[in-house]
Structures are given as C-alpha cells and as structure tokens.
Amino acid sequence: MVIVLHPSTTPENLEELKNELLKSDCKVCPTYGEFQIILGVVGSTQQINRDKVLNKKYVEKILSVQEPYKMANRMFHPENTVINVGNESIGGTKIALIAGPCSVESEEQIVDIARKVKEAGAGFLRGGAYKPRTSPYSFQGMKEEGLELLKIARQETGLPIVSELMSASELDKFIDSVDIIQIGARNMQNFDLLKAIGQTNKPILLKRGLSATFEELLMSAEYIMSEGNEQVILCERGIRTFETYTRNTLDLSAVLALKRLSHLPVIIDPSHAAGKWWMVEALSKAAVAVGADGLIIEVHNDPANASCDGKQSITPDRFAALVDPLRRIAEIDDRTI
Ligand code: PEP
Ligand code: MN
C-alpha cells in the first residue's frame, strides 16, 4: 500500500500516522520527494483502517500496489534511487563504469588492470575471487587470497571493489573486503543468501538469473530490501534463448522495463551476455543509449591466457578507447561518465 501525503504534512502529523499504521503488523518506508511525501507500507496492510487514515487532513490518497514486489516498486519511491559508494554513485546522471578481470589471478595482474582501467575513466574495479564455474574441474578462483589482492588494488588506485559472494559462510570476509557485493546469475534465487546480504549495509549488485523474468528479478531484490538493505543495483547480463552463437542473449529492453517498474539502478554486463570480446564495445554503446545506469565490463591484460572468460574480455587499451564514445552517447541524454 502507498499513502500519498500533502507537501504541508508536519513531522508531528507523520509521527501520528506512523503510530497508527504500526498498530498493524506493518513496516513503513517514507520517501521525501520534492513535491510530496510518500509512505510505502508493507506487511499485513489489510489490518489497516483505511477510512481512519483517509480522514486525516494531510492524507491525499491511498494506492494499492498490485505487483508482488513492493519496496522495489517505483510506486514506493517515484524518484530514481542513487547508491553512493565512496566518492562514486550509481543511479544518478553519472554513468558507472565497472571494469576488471573475470577473476583475480595475481597481484601484478589485478593491480596492472586496476591502474589501467582507472586511468581510462572506470569508477569501480571488478574481480572474482570465488568463481561459480559450470565444471568442478575449472579454476574456482583464488578465494581469500583473491580478496586480499583486490584490497591491494584498491589501496593502489582508490577504486571501490565489486566481487561475487557465493555463500553466506564467506559473508564476514566480504563485509571487510569489498565495497559492492555481487550476487551472480546462478544465485539470483538463493533466498537464504539474499536474506543474509539483506541484513548488511553493503550495496548489492544483483544479476538477473539465466532465465529469470523481470518480476522474478525484482522479487529477489525484494528479498534483500525486506531485510533492511535497500541498496540494490539490478544487472542484466543476458538470458538463455534458443540462440547459441552468443553465450546469452542481451535483453536491452530490461533497462526500460526495470526502470519503469522499479526505482533501482539498472546496469548492463555486455561481456557475459555476448561471450565474445568483439561484441562488447558496440553492446556497451547500445546499453548507454538505451539508458543503463552503468556497465560492468570484463577487461584483461592478457585475454588469451586468462584463467576465466578470456574470450569475452577486452584489453585495457580497447576499454580506454571505448570511454570517449560512451561519454558522447551519454551527453545526448545530459548524462556524464
Ligand atoms: C561474473 O561476473 O564473472 C559472472 C560469473 O557473472 P554471471 O553471474 O552473470 O554469470
Ligand atoms: Mn566472468
């Protein structure tokens, strides 16, 4: 349920209304917009005495939220959510560039790539320490040591770190080491993991499952938000279709649909979508043109010998050459990089 209040509502009015609503088994999420105050209410909203609420002079209207996702719903929060990470942000007019290798392989590798992508204009460093591999015989990541190397790269460059968490048993280490916790496509519906990260105050980069609908993705975001963590970034990374030429099929309409349905930032991962490095630059430009809030791009200094996903990784030089065209596309919509 969404309760729209008059702009003249006083803090005392708000307190009175909240106390009334909390008599039911509900949670109240206020949003202070430029022209109105909105109270999103979740829980047993059927217990609320609607007439009593509507009788208050400062209550403009009550709206029912039909969709099963509530806190992630744009009705709850009409303005875009902007997530601040250090000096960077995701969801505002500045497009977030997250770049780095699929997995951390050595100190020299991660520090070298971090320096180069920073110099090119990236705002964040990605790097997997725990890797979800299809085969148990493939490289599984450097694990704890990988997290330590990411911290060195952050110290060297100042870039905030994005890394994938696969199990709640590693959560404490991630809270100490990373700036944004990535939940991979394969874990999008690992509900216990979603609940665990919902109890932290780390921004979460939530990737769309291999064959998840927008509603399923938003319900996964809702799992995180309903535990108290509202800092969720949605990521389209390609979905399974009948096409096998590309690794996945990049669904650019996800940006438009998700931004209409939700206030959360939406970013694009062209690397895992295409699976081919030579498609990454054009798909990145398309993603910015369609309104994505950011890009997460795999960049490797030696793609041919990468431990993971070399075929879809671009070199630091190619990444650097891509930033200016992206900036020019962003300017069309009065955005920056
Ligand atoms: C990754 O980012 O390296 C990754 C494994 O992504 P996804 O979960 O989208 O496959
Ligand atoms: Mn990868």
Side-chain angles (χ1 to χ4, degrees):
M1 166 196 282
V2 166
I3 304 174
V4 182
L5 307 180
H6 285 292
S8 59
T9 305
T10 64
E12 292 74 30
N13 295 153
L14 201 57
E15 211 41 44
E16 177 201 40
L17 181 57
K18 271 204 217 163
N19 289 337
E20 173 63 31
L21 296 168
L22 292 174
K23 283 185 200 158
S24 312
D25 189 14
C26 287
K27 189 173 157 195
V28 182
C29 322
T31 301
Y32 305 92
E34 210 177 323
F35 303 108
Q36 58 188 2
I37 303 170
I38 283 180
L39 289 188
V41 190
V42 279
S44 306
T45 51
Q46 69 284 355
Q47 291 172 5
I48 293 169
N49 183 337
R50 287 181 174 236
D51 291 338
K52 201 166 168 190
V53 171
L54 276 170
N55 265 340
K56 299 193 188 295
K57 283 198 303 289
Y58 51 88
V59 172
E60 211 166 274
K61 58 186 168 190
I62 295 182
L63 305 170
S64 295
V65 181
Q66 302 302 330
E67 294 81 14
Y69 48 90
K70 311 289 179 190
M71 298 180 74
N73 202 304
R74 196 174 272 281
M75 280 178 78
F76 259 52
H77 194 289
E79 281 149 40
N80 291 337
T81 283
V82 179
I83 295 174
N84 295 309
V85 187
N87 297 325
E88 296 289 330
S89 63
I90 306 181
T93 54
K94 185 172 182 219
I95 294 167
L97 288 186
I98 307 170
C102 181
S103 48
V104 181
E105 296 167 15
S106 67
E107 180 173 335
E108 303 74 66
Q109 177 241 21
I110 194 67
V111 171
D112 181 45
I113 297 172
R115 286 212 179 101
K116 287 175 174 156
V117 297
K118 165 143 189 186
E119 162 108 29
F124 304 81
L125 176 68
R126 65 150 287 152
Y130 294 79
K131 294 305 305 175
R133 304 306 299 277
T134 303
S135 166
Y137 308 118
S138 302
F139 174 61
Q140 304 283 310
M142 292 183 78
K143 308 204 164 90
E144 224 168 320
E145 198 186 341
L147 291 180
E148 291 307 313
L149 299 182
L150 283 167
K151 283 201 267 187
I152 295 174
R154 177 175 55 197
Q155 212 167 7
E156 294 288 321
T157 60
L159 290 178
I161 302 297
V162 182
S163 197
E164 176 170 354
L165 172 72
M166 294 200 337
S167 156
S169 57
E170 252 72 59
L171 186 52
D172 289 346
K173 279 184 229 139
F174 272 67
I175 291 187
D176 291 341
S177 310
V178 316
D179 301 286
I180 299 181
I181 298 178
Q182 175 175 324
I183 296 298
R186 292 156 191 80
N187 272 318
M188 188 203 86
Q189 286 189 317
N190 181 340
F191 300 117
D192 284 343
L193 185 60
L194 300 179
K195 283 193 234 170
I197 56 172
Q199 285 162 20
T200 73
N201 56 11
K202 284 274 171 192
I204 307 297
L205 194 166
L206 178 65
K207 290 188 133 191
R208 183 181 183 186
L210 274 66
S211 48
T213 63
F214 298 142
E215 186 166 297
E216 285 164 341
L217 173 59
L218 291 169
M219 288 312 291
S220 291
E222 193 78 13
Y223 259 96
I224 301 166
M225 299 172 86
S226 63
E227 293 290 330
N229 185 352
E230 297 179 31
Q231 303 184 84
V232 181
I233 302 146
L234 305 170
C235 178
E236 158 64 33
R237 44 77 74 204
I239 48 171
R240 272 279 160 87
T241 66
F242 51 81
E243 184 54 72
T244 55
Y245 183 73
T246 45
R247 184 173 178 181
N248 292 287
T249 296
L250 180 59
D251 180 5
L252 282 176
S253 71
V255 176
L256 299 160
L258 292 169
K259 289 187 73 68
R260 190 180 180 92
L261 299 171
S262 175
H263 51 90
L264 298 172
V266 182
I267 69 166
I268 290 280
D269 174 347
S271 312
H272 291 86
K276 297 184 190 303
W277 70 266
W278 53 270
M279 288 190 177
V280 167
E281 289 139 288
L283 293 177
S284 299
K285 292 182 208 168
V288 172
V290 90
D293 293 299
L295 290 162
I296 177 164
I297 300 178
E298 284 187 340
V299 177
H300 199 287
N301 49 1
D302 184 10
N305 291 302
S307 309
C308 184
D309 287 350
K311 286 197 173 69
Q312 65 195 38
S313 301
I314 59 171
T315 59
D317 283 351
R318 295 198 80 99
F319 177 75
L322 174 63
V323 176
D324 188 53
L326 293 179
R327 189 170 282 135
R328 282 186 279 143
I329 297 168
E331 277 168 9
I332 297 171
D333 288 330
D334 294 326
R335 299 194 298 158
T336 57
I337 287 201

